[in-house]
Amino acid sequence: MDFVANLSPLALAYVGDAVYELLVRAHLVGRGPAKPEQLHREALKYVRATAQARVVPALEEYLTPAEKDILRRGRNARPGHLPRTAAPAEYHSSTALESLLGYLYLQGDWARVEELAHLIFKLAEQND
């Protein structure tokens, strides 16, 4: 899809945020029964900008050159505001990750999205 390559990194991150949230929820539910409030607390361990930023450096070695370029563009994007809950560098790294997931999803490469999600979860659990 040619239009995907022309989207801004922030538009890609907007989609990637939703994709990542769904992946995290499916991952957590797949572990077995849990109460919604417990699932929510567990999800925060993955979706916070600080948590996403921690996995990006290790993830980069598994990316293709094109994926690294999307990650770089996402990291360099400048949103209108920064959250108080994360340092600017962490927020930019999390935006980069979301941009990558949004890009792959919009390209229709769900297999690669799932492959990276499994790797992200593994890296995140190693950081815990």
Side-chain angles (χ1 to χ4, degrees):
M1 295 184 198
D2 292 331
F3 83 94
V4 176
N6 294 321
L7 290 174
S8 77
L10 295 177
L12 295 173
Y14 175 74
V15 173
D17 177 60
V19 170
Y20 188 60
E21 179 78 28
L22 181 60
L23 289 164
V24 167
R25 288 178 181 211
H27 174 71
L28 294 175
V29 169
R31 289 179 171 177
K35 294 180 180 180
E37 60 271 10
Q38 181 183 3
L39 291 169
H40 177 71
R41 280 193 307 276
E42 283 294 311
L44 290 176
K45 294 177 183 178
Y46 294 92
V47 300
R48 284 193 172 132
T50 53
Q52 291 180 25
R54 277 196 300 264
V55 301
V56 170
L59 182 68
E60 285 188 73
E61 72 180 81
Y62 298 96
L63 301 180
T64 67
E67 292 168 346
K68 287 179 183 178
D69 187 55
I70 296 295
L71 198 72
R72 178 193 53 78
R73 287 179 51 216
R75 188 178 291 123
N76 291 337
R78 296 293 175 241
H81 74 285
L82 294 173
R84 292 183 296 256
T85 58
E90 292 171 328
Y91 187 70
H92 292 299
S93 287
S94 69
T95 300
L97 179 62
E98 291 169 351
S99 295
L100 176 60
L101 293 173
Y103 173 81
L104 293 169
Y105 174 80
L106 291 172
Q107 287 285 8
D109 196 349
W110 189 249
R112 183 63 172 154
V113 169
E114 287 183 322
E115 181 181 345
L116 290 179
H118 290 296
L119 183 56
I120 290 166
F121 298 146
K122 180 180 173 186
L123 293 169
E125 289 161 7
Q126 287 174 353
N127 284 338
D128 258 358

